[in-house]
Amino acid sequence: MSALDEPLKKILGGTTAKVMAEHLGLHTVGDLLHHYPRKYAERGELTRLSDLPLDEHVTVVARVADARVLKFNNGRGQRLEVTLTDGSGRLQLVFFGKGIHKPHKDLLPGRRAMFAGKVSVFNRKLQLAHPEYALLDGEGGEEAVDAFAGRLMPIYPACQQIASWKITKAVDAVLPAAREALDPLPEALREGRALLPLPDALEKVHRPRTKADIEDARSRLKWDEAFVLQVALARRRMAETQLPATPRPLTPGGLLDAFDAKLPFTLTEGQRKVSREIFDDLATDHPMHRLLQGEVGSGKTMVALRAMLAVVDTGGQAAMLAPTEVLAQQHHRSITEMMGELAEGGMLGGAEHGTKVVLLTGSMGSAARRQALLDLVTGEAGIVIGTHALIEDKVQFHDLGLVVVDEQHRFGVEQRDALRGKGKQPPHLLVMTATPIPRTVAMTVFGDLETSVLDQLPAGRSPIASHVVPAKDKPHFLARAWERVREEVESGHQAYVVCPRIGDEEDAPKAKGARKETAEEAAAGEDKRPPLAVLEVADQLTKGPLAGLRVEVLHGRMHPDDKDAVMRRFAAGEVDALVATTVIEVGVNVPNATAMVIMDADRFGVSQLHQLRGRVGRGSAPGLCLLVSEMPEASPARARLAAVAGTLDGFELSRIDLEQRREGDVLGQAQSGARTSLRMLAVIEDEQVIEAAREEATSVVAADPELSGHPELRIALQALLDAEREQYLDKG
């Protein structure tokens, strides 16, 4: 067993090891060596007491002039105040609570010591609160000063149960084992890119002597993470090219040509380009794996439908998977409308007959369901649209050629594999998402998919104006928002009002997809009211600012038939304002809806707000999106809303979102809750490393698919691909 696989309890003892395992997820020596410092404190040059700078970390050597314990809070609390002098000036130290006992014993008047801490002001006097200190009386005082003042102090990600300096001690105990670390980077690659050997990088990241040490160590450790991950993805891509698939070349004179001929508009250049990429993939004899990213409303459904028709022309079937019933019904409606009589076919193949487009969801009646299943197994239905009900064992296809997955991030791995198994050979796969994914994240999370991007909006889509409505600071802005909604309705349009929760919950669980609140928000709002709810808001609006308008509600806990009925009435223009939860976030298409008011907008994530906003401005009239928030102007939450209001570019917003969320959360979603394997690599900043690693990985795998010449790399891969990671990589 290598030294890095040693359990921590052998080296650190049971109690420390238990805390590290339970609270930091660290079990072995290797785990601890990869628990990198999050920053380094400079103990700083020794500073004279007369020159202390405010708010900076300083290290001073001084003598204790006096020390006294003071009581406060009616004697319940106590603090230790120590006055220092170094001949140039005086400085006060303060220790509180249980933290006073040791310094009270150590810091006796007349003792000389070194102190490190951050300078603050209290009662117009400079002070250090809870400084670290080292006594200098006795032997080796001067060397101690040098060692203490000159070092960069690692600060580790810690938790309440174990402080950073205890982790520092634990790392000291295991650091010698770093010499035995197996280096996963091929030697030629390491030397070609002038990267440190792994043992050196581990030593320098934990115990740097200079800032250059930290830089060298970090750039090496980033390469490890990027490279091993990209090798895993490159091997998956290679394996996919080995799978057989039925080629589905374009067939002239079929359904696709008939459909294109009746289109009332021309496709955008972007749609044509992406369609060509897809048709080329479909014509090959191994399965297509393509990710189609497109802004809300950029016409992804049109591109997907043309791909499905191309497959039907070859005698195959196409399945489209949607994450919710509302969305499946919506897709079914819009696809049958777009196809017109071509969707009423009795037979595959003949353009004049068209094909059948069936819907399959969990809540369908049994007769309709039986008919749909029969149409699939006989091949009568060329296109099926459904929820994960499509994946059940009972569903059999005549010849499944293409699977289109809408909103990828809502589908699990097992579900995709189950669908793959439905074809005689693995079907082609097209994954669509309206959540713009920065290139680097696409290369990391969806690294085994080829990517196509639709970045033009089709002609006829209108601009959307977005504004933040500060309801607390300026209540008349909110009143004006409701007037704007009335104005839109009076000019013949419709509006959405979105709320974070439904309102019939016992204790109001978090809305699905709502952001976790930050510590800053939690602190700001101990007495914060619960998020606004659909049922309450709808009630207030019908009695108040929207009295006399036709207001209805839509949320996830309604019966599917009721949901569908409300959506149909809204689409038909029989409802003026729809008060809804985020069920309308994806795919709902009502061109006549021009205004959206998002209540408690600060409770939603950036990309979610962008998705929601994409529901308006879908027709020829301009869209209006009002982001209502009670958060104070200076808060990060308001800054986030201002960013959303300031740009309609989803890629720009996804960058902002990522920077604010740390990529751990982004990859975390992709990893079904597994801890992110990226500790050093920052997906946004390290674009160049990720690209270079992808190139290197692709060529290493092409030359040696089994990695037989790289045993250390194989071991690193196995560690990455334990059960949880396997799922994450299967994300594509």
Side-chain angles (χ1 to χ4, degrees):
M1 178 157 115
S2 105
L4 272 69
D5 296 330
E6 267 318 329
L8 283 173
K9 64 168 173 275
K10 264 188 155 173
I11 291 157
L12 304 179
T15 2
T16 313
K18 185 168 185 244
V19 172
M20 287 196 160
E22 282 177 10
H23 297 283
L24 297 171
L26 307 174
H27 304 277
T28 63
V29 168
D31 289 344
L32 181 52
L33 285 174
H34 288 297
H35 186 72
Y36 308 128
R38 63 189 171 81
K39 62 176 185 179
Y40 301 85
E42 292 182 75
R43 287 219 162 104
E45 305 309 302
L46 292 180
T47 316
R48 283 159 48 95
L49 293 187
S50 54
D51 308 332
L52 287 178
L54 199 58
D55 272 351
E56 282 190 26
H57 286 275
V58 297
T59 304
V60 297
V61 171
R63 213 171 276 288
V64 176
D66 69 63
R68 57 211 173 119
V69 173
L70 303 170
K71 302 257 192 239
F72 60 91
N73 206 355
N74 295 335
R76 285 203 297 276
Q78 44 179 5
R79 70 173 182 270
L80 168 67
E81 287 186 0
V82 178
T83 308
L84 303 180
T85 170
D86 69 349
S88 75
R90 292 168 84 80
L91 173 68
Q92 189 169 323
L93 312 179
V94 39
F95 299 87
F96 292 98
K98 295 199 178 91
I100 76 173
H101 305 309
K102 189 174 184 319
H104 196 201
K105 276 208 311 264
D106 291 344
L107 302 177
L108 303 173
R111 297 204 87 163
R112 188 162 168 272
M114 185 160 31
F115 302 89
K118 189 174 180 184
V119 184
S120 57
V121 170
F122 180 71
N123 272 346
R124 325 243 304 258
K125 278 192 204 148
L126 293 183
Q127 70 166 25
L128 298 182
H130 287 276
E132 295 181 61
Y133 61 88
L135 298 173
L136 298 177
D137 307 343
E139 301 307 301
E142 291 315 308
E143 285 117 74
V145 171
D146 287 349
F148 186 89
R151 261 194 32 224
L152 286 161
M153 256 172 53
I155 311 281
Y156 287 94
C159 58
Q160 209 177 337
Q161 293 74 9
I162 186 163
S164 171
W165 63 268
K166 284 191 173 150
I167 298 175
T168 302
K169 273 190 143 145
V171 170
D172 283 336
V174 300
L175 204 52
R179 301 307 318 157
E180 293 183 45
L182 292 177
D183 200 326
L185 291 191
E187 205 169 327
L189 166 83
R190 201 181 70 229
E191 287 170 0
R193 300 215 171 240
L195 297 166
L196 289 177
L198 184 57
D200 298 359
L202 288 171
E203 278 180 13
K204 284 185 171 175
V205 80
H206 289 293
R207 298 295 171 262
R209 292 202 165 79
T210 62
K211 287 188 170 173
D213 281 356
I214 301 173
E215 278 312 297
D216 294 349
R218 286 193 146 166
S219 48
R220 160 61 216 242
L221 295 167
K222 282 179 176 182
W223 256 92
D224 278 21
E225 290 175 9
F227 181 71
V228 175
L229 184 55
Q230 293 299 339
V231 166
L233 292 165
R235 291 188 69 190
R236 269 191 73 90
R237 287 197 299 273
M238 187 131 186
E240 302 287 11
T241 60
Q242 311 302 314
L243 286 175
T246 310
R248 308 279 177 180
L250 282 178
T251 314
L255 258 176
L256 177 62
D257 285 353
F259 175 74
D260 283 351
K262 65 193 279 305
L263 273 184
F265 50 84
T266 52
L267 297 173
T268 66
E269 185 42 50
Q271 286 174 319
R272 282 204 291 272
K273 177 176 150 284
V274 171
S275 289
R276 277 196 298 277
E277 293 169 347
I278 292 171
F279 293 146
D280 290 348
D281 283 358
L282 288 174
T284 60
D285 52 11
H286 55 83
M288 161 170 84
H289 281 101
R290 196 167 272 285
L291 171 69
L292 172 56
Q293 295 190 56
E295 277 289 11
V296 176
S298 57
K300 293 183 299 298
T301 314
M302 171 62 69
V303 169
L305 175 56
R306 295 182 72 236
M308 296 198 287
L309 294 174
V311 168
V312 174
D313 278 340
T314 64
Q317 290 168 296
M320 184 182 223
L321 265 142
T324 63
E325 294 210 345
V326 167
L327 194 51
Q329 288 162 336
Q330 175 95 29
H331 275 318
H332 181 253
R333 245 196 328 270
S334 64
I335 282 176
T336 45
E337 278 164 20
M338 282 198 273
M339 287 176 62
E341 72 281 4
L342 297 176
E344 294 155 12
M347 282 300 293
L348 279 182
E352 63 277 12
H353 308 300
T355 185
K356 249 189 186 177
V357 179
V358 299
L359 176 68
L360 191 60
T361 64
S363 64
M364 280 169 77
S366 50
R369 190 181 169 76
R370 262 201 310 276
Q371 184 58 52
L373 290 172
L374 188 66
D375 287 341
L376 286 180
V377 76
T378 57
E380 285 274 309
I383 295 177
V384 57
I385 295 152
T387 52
H388 46 258
L390 279 177
I391 298 163
E392 290 168 15
D393 294 343
K394 294 197 276 289
V395 181
Q396 294 301 322
F397 289 87
H398 174 66
D399 177 14
L400 181 60
L402 170 67
V403 175
V404 178
V405 179
D406 192 17
E407 288 307 317
Q408 158 69 15
H409 56 284
R410 304 177 182 223
F411 269 98
V413 180
E414 310 77 27
Q415 296 169 311
R416 263 208 352 257
D417 282 347
L419 247 183
R420 261 187 198 161
K422 301 263 184 206
K424 299 191 175 90
Q425 284 189 323
H428 298 280
L429 176 71
L430 179 65
V431 168
M432 304 199 293
T433 175
T435 309
I437 303 165
R439 270 188 67 237
T440 43
V441 180
M443 280 192 286
T444 317
V445 182
F446 299 105
D448 55 346
L449 292 166
E450 300 301 324
T451 307
S452 297
V453 178
L454 274 178
D455 44 15
Q456 292 170 279
L457 288 185
R461 289 297 305 255
S462 304
I464 304 171
S466 308
H467 304 284
V468 179
V469 178
K472 208 166 197 164
D473 315 348
K474 302 184 176 160
H476 59 286
F477 275 40
L478 182 57
R480 176 73 188 114
W482 300 125
E483 284 171 21
R484 283 292 291 113
V485 170
R486 290 195 85 98
E487 287 163 15
E488 288 298 311
V489 171
E490 278 155 21
S491 58
H493 298 301
Q494 292 160 279
Y496 296 100
V497 179
V498 182
C499 303
R501 67 187 183 98
I502 298 172
D504 57 357
E505 306 88 333
E506 271 57 83
D507 46 9
K510 270 291 222 222
K512 199 168 171 230
R515 274 183 338 101
K516 290 191 184 68
E517 67 181 353
T518 61
E520 158 256 349
E521 289 163 355
E526 265 89 55
D527 56 348
K528 201 155 139 197
R529 57 167 176 71
L532 290 170
V534 167
L535 302 175
E536 294 151 22
V537 169
D539 187 47
Q540 288 160 12
L541 290 177
T542 44
K543 291 177 182 157
L546 302 186
L549 300 187
R550 297 168 298 177
V551 177
E552 294 211 22
V553 298
L554 178 70
H555 58 74
R557 280 216 291 281
M558 290 164 60
H559 186 280
D561 293 349
D562 298 340
K563 275 194 279 202
D564 196 42
V566 170
M567 268 321 297
R568 277 177 191 277
R569 286 200 294 277
F570 189 64
E574 295 160 17
V575 174
D576 298 322
L578 185 62
V579 184
T581 54
T582 53
V583 288
I584 62 157
E585 178 186 349
V586 261
V588 173
N589 185 18
V590 179
N592 191 43
T594 52
M596 174 175 286
V597 181
I598 302 177
M599 307 301 291
D600 280 346
D602 48 272
R603 309 237 182 187
F604 300 100
V606 169
S607 50
Q608 205 176 16
L609 289 169
H610 181 60
Q611 285 281 349
L612 286 165
R613 167 172 65 185
R615 303 294 117 222
V616 295
R618 300 178 80 87
S620 50
L624 172 69
C625 178
L626 302 174
L627 306 167
V628 179
S629 170
E630 292 190 357
M631 292 303 275
E633 189 158 6
S635 61
R638 279 281 290 277
R640 233 184 8 255
L641 296 181
V644 175
T647 175
L648 290 172
D649 179 344
F651 286 92
E652 179 53 32
L653 285 174
S654 66
R655 257 194 120 87
I656 294 170
D657 198 17
L658 261 188
E659 280 159 9
Q660 290 180 332
R661 280 211 319 229
R662 280 190 21 262
E663 42 283 319
D665 306 351
V666 176
L667 298 182
Q669 288 181 335
Q671 279 167 294
S672 62
R675 216 172 125 201
T676 169
S677 59
L678 303 185
R679 310 219 170 109
M680 200 50 104
L681 198 67
V683 177
I684 289 287
E685 287 117 69
D686 295 322
E687 184 160 351
Q688 283 155 325
V689 177
I690 293 173
E691 278 196 46
R694 182 174 167 122
E695 279 166 33
E696 295 274 9
T698 308
S699 61
V700 165
V701 170
D704 179 3
E706 289 308 307
L707 304 179
S708 34
H710 304 287
E712 296 84 358
L713 179 54
R714 287 183 67 156
I715 293 169
L717 257 188
Q718 279 154 3
L720 177 72
L721 300 186
D722 59 26
E724 295 181 304
R725 304 276 194 274
E726 190 65 87
Q727 283 199 332
Y728 147 48
L729 284 174
D730 216 9
K731 186 72 182 125

